[in-house]
Amino acid sequence: MTIIAFVGGGNMAAALIGGLLQSGHPAASIRIVEPDAGQRERLTARFGIAPMARADATLAAAQLVVWAVKPQVFQEAAAPLADHVAGALQLSVMAGIRCEAIVRATGSPRVVRAMPNTPALIGQGISGLFARQEVNDAEREQVRALLDCTGQSVWVEREEALDAVTALSGSGPAYVFLFAEALVQAGCDMGLTPEQSRQLVLSTFRGAALLAEADGAPLAELRERVTSKGGTTFAALESMRADGVASAIARAAQAAQRRAAELGRSLG
Ligand SMILES: NC(=O)c1ccc[n+]([C@@H]2O[C@H](COP(=O)([O-])OP(=O)(O)OC[C@H]3O[C@@H](n4cnc5c(N)ncnc54)[C@H](OP(=O)(O)O)[C@@H]3O)[C@@H](O)[C@H]2O)c1
């Protein structure tokens, strides 16, 4: 039985713990460090696991330590654990904190970084994963299985690629919401009710994504299939082309990637 310790018992930790329990992992093998009393109560009520208020020597039994605190409190959260967790595999879901900072703070060279996104909270997320070379194949598999509880995952070969993952899937739900908001508003302007508009738009996003996954054809081909020359979709796409929508999206993603790199440098 692998003992897994979570440092931070917030949203992301809860999504992972829920997935672990559902996949048959025993509650008795899960430890949680969570300083907030209200949050500890909620975790106990939801999972039947009593979190500890602060780290102690019992954490030395953990084979896997999952870092799920906000990046700004990582150093403070790590200090009391440093003496206990150097022998464990470290998995971080913290945005921006580089592997080297985790190695320094924990004393363990075996570090995997994950960049999840918010749909993980309903089991529909996607995570980018990067492992340092000290992490062996069985450990990579263990981490992938844990993250699979929250959706899908994609391995990247270079740590910097996680900044691109952040720019696509990490921040991506917000781009989708912006596009959806604008389309819902357009529907309202055309006389649909907000409820009708919202249902039409959200269902269209879900359906289009599922169709693209199921079909597997290149996205450009899928787009062309619904675009007959001179038709309604053609008119909309011509308007988007004239407005430079595709290049605006590319610039936005690049801005997110640059910001992820900057945050990574400032957080160490
Ligand atoms: N939510 C997402 O979808 C998502 C997506 C991508 C990446 N992430 C990353 O995942 C990490 C966690 O995010 P989250 O949404 O789960 O945040 P969260 O809900 O705020 O959870 C963090 C938890 O850690 C606790 N904590 C604070 N200081 C601590 C300490 N010294 N020792 C132990 N625990 C401590 C917090 O308690 P208090 O409430 O008392 O502060 C809180 O319960 C972040 O680094 C975030 O960047 C999250």
Side-chain angles (χ1 to χ4, degrees):
M1 170 171 88
T2 305
I3 298 189
I4 304 179
F6 286 83
V7 187
N11 292 316
M12 195 44 74
L16 289 167
I17 293 165
L20 272 172
L21 295 177
Q22 244 171 28
S23 64
H25 199 89
S29 66
I30 297 174
R31 313 273 183 274
I32 310 169
V33 183
E34 171 54 61
D36 184 83
Q39 187 62 11
R40 286 202 300 278
E41 271 170 36
R42 281 189 287 279
L43 289 164
T44 306
R46 182 166 165 197
F47 299 125
I49 301 171
M52 47 181 83
R54 63 190 67 79
D56 64 31
T58 61
L59 292 176
Q63 287 112 333
L64 172 62
V65 177
V66 183
W67 294 92
V69 292
K70 297 280 186 213
Q72 297 81 350
V73 303
F74 167 62
Q75 296 296 345
E76 174 194 333
L81 273 97
D83 290 339
H84 310 305
V85 298
L89 174 65
Q90 314 289 324
L91 167 63
S92 164
V93 298
M94 299 176 293
I97 304 277
R98 300 280 190 252
C99 281
E100 284 310 316
I102 298 167
V103 174
R104 274 198 307 276
T106 63
S108 169
R110 288 151 58 226
V111 177
V112 180
R113 269 185 71 193
M115 182 61 214
N117 63 2
T118 50
L121 305 177
I122 55 159
Q124 294 292 325
I126 182 144
S127 300
L129 296 173
F130 169 78
R132 294 186 87 237
Q133 60 182 12
E134 286 82 354
V135 178
N136 67 32
D137 286 349
E139 291 168 333
R140 286 168 72 110
E141 180 52 31
Q142 183 187 9
V143 166
R144 195 196 53 74
L146 172 57
L147 264 304
D148 275 2
C149 300
T150 64
Q152 304 178 28
S153 50
V154 172
W155 286 100
V156 296
E157 297 309 316
R158 293 173 305 109
E159 186 169 6
E160 307 83 73
L162 288 181
D163 294 336
V165 171
T166 305
L168 263 64
S169 54
S171 301
Y175 318 157
V176 174
F177 298 144
L178 177 81
F179 194 162
E181 268 178 271
L183 211 46
V184 168
Q185 185 56 51
C188 295
D189 294 345
M190 292 172 194
L192 296 170
T193 67
E195 294 73 26
Q196 289 168 334
S197 245
R198 183 184 159 98
Q199 189 182 353
L200 288 163
V201 168
L202 292 187
S203 189
T204 300
F205 271 81
R206 185 177 55 240
L210 290 173
L211 176 65
E213 260 188 3
D215 188 295
L219 295 170
E221 187 185 318
L222 291 166
R223 171 171 51 74
E224 279 157 17
R225 278 188 215 158
V226 284
T227 315
S228 38
K229 193 134 182 91
T232 58
T233 313
F234 183 79
L237 293 182
E238 277 303 297
S239 171
M240 287 190 200
R241 207 186 317 274
D243 284 339
V245 170
S247 54
I249 290 170
R251 280 194 303 278
Q254 284 155 10
Q257 182 192 28
R258 275 196 306 277
R259 186 68 188 133
E262 276 168 22
L263 286 172
R265 280 193 294 274
S266 68
L267 291 163

